Structure formats: structure tokens, C-alpha cells
Amino acid sequence: MRVGLGYDVHKLVENRKLILGGVEIPYKKGLLGHSDADVLLHAIMDSLLGACALGDIGHHFPDTNDKFKGISSIKLLEEVYTLISNNGYTVNNIDATIIAERPKMLPYIQSMRKNIAKALQIDINKINVKATTEEGLGFTGNELGISAQSISSLIEK
């Protein structure tokens, strides 16, 4: 078994869609980034790549490449699935946390889990997504950004 850890953060700005776990969430601000800035999927991808010792998403999908400008992170997650699969691994489980003061994530978590499971071609019961606030502290508490953390375990096929 192999284990990987992922973390991502993006700034909240006006005139951007808020997309987390491949779900568009109605909110007054969205996340700034080269792609759709889906911090949850970015953290998950980094944990998967890390578990295989394949670097990180910046290596595979650089923000200097216009091919990835505005791209859906679900598509990138599907590419990460291909990479880990081609290296002889399958996902055992993923546990991820979204850190955001607002909006409330609970109504969207099941859809996020479904999107992740579909992209990784695994059972939804291998995916856990949860959310927390920082009680008004720090950049997430002050609603300046949203971050996410992920840990994943992979097993050989």
C-alpha cells in the first residue's frame, strides 16, 4: 500500500464560479486559478500523485500551458487516474477536507463524492469528503480563500 498527502489553496474573487469537487456551488465569489481552481480536486490529485511518487499537479498540468486554462479539474482527475493506473495502482480510499467559512458545503458533498468516484472509476464508498470552518480565523476564516487537504491510499492492481 502507498499513501499520499495533498493540499491546495486558492483565493476567493468576484466574477468567478465556485467549483468544488466538480460541483458548481452558488456563491457570490469563486476561486481564482489557471484552471477552474477546484481546490478539493487539486488536493486529491496531489495526494494520488504523491502516493505514486509522480510529482504534483504543477508538474503534470503547469499553469504556463494554455491547454489547461479554464479546464475542468474533473478532466484533470481523469488524467491522474490514467497515470496511476498505468503505473500499476488503484485507489484504496481517499479522505479529504474542505476548509471554508462559507458557503456551507453539506448540501453538495454527496455530488462531489459521486463526481470523484466516477472520474477514478471506483466505488463511492472509497471516497470521503468533509468540510470545516476555521471559526473566523486566518485567511479562510476571513473568507479570503478556500483550502483543501487530502490523504489517499493506493494498492497495486
Side-chain angles (χ1 to χ4, degrees):
M1 178 174 25
R2 301 188 64 141
V3 177
L5 179 67
Y7 173 81
D8 195 35
V9 60
H10 284 273
K11 182 178 180 178
L12 279 166
V13 297
E14 294 183 3
N15 301 314
R16 287 276 299 197
K17 292 179 182 180
L18 179 58
I19 300 172
L20 294 169
V23 177
E24 186 174 334
I25 299 171
Y27 193 58
K28 62 186 176 185
K29 292 182 177 181
L31 294 169
L32 181 63
H34 186 69
S35 66
D36 62 6
D38 187 329
V39 293
L40 175 61
L41 295 186
H42 293 183
I44 288 171
M45 288 185 279
D46 270 348
S47 71
L48 295 169
L49 291 167
C52 290
L54 293 173
D56 61 20
I57 60 174
H59 171 78
H60 293 278
F61 315 111
D63 62 6
T64 54
N65 188 334
D66 285 341
K67 173 182 175 184
F68 305 117
K69 185 165 179 64
I71 195 168
S72 166
S73 292
I74 286 288
K75 290 181 180 175
L76 300 179
L77 183 59
E78 290 168 350
E79 289 191 36
V80 167
Y81 166 76
T82 299
L83 283 169
I84 64 174
S85 183
N86 288 345
N87 277 275
Y89 294 97
T90 188
V91 177
N92 184 50
N93 78 302
I94 294 171
D95 186 26
T97 304
I98 302 164
I99 302 110
E101 202 67 22
R102 285 185 190 81
K104 294 294 182 192
M105 300 296 160
L106 185 60
Y108 310 101
I109 286 179
Q110 189 65 12
S111 295
M112 293 175 192
R113 292 177 66 221
K114 285 179 186 175
N115 290 342
I116 296 162
K118 182 179 177 186
L120 295 173
Q121 301 179 28
I122 58 172
D123 189 273
I124 193 170
N125 293 326
K126 294 185 175 196
I127 308 293
N128 189 54
V129 175
K130 54 196 178 296
T132 190
T133 69
E134 290 193 306
E135 304 294 328
L137 299 173
F139 72 90
T140 57
N142 287 313
E143 298 180 54
L144 299 175
I146 294 177
S147 65
Q149 300 176 354
S150 173
I151 190 164
S152 63
S153 67
L154 306 180
I155 52 176
E156 290 186 44
K157 290 185 190 181

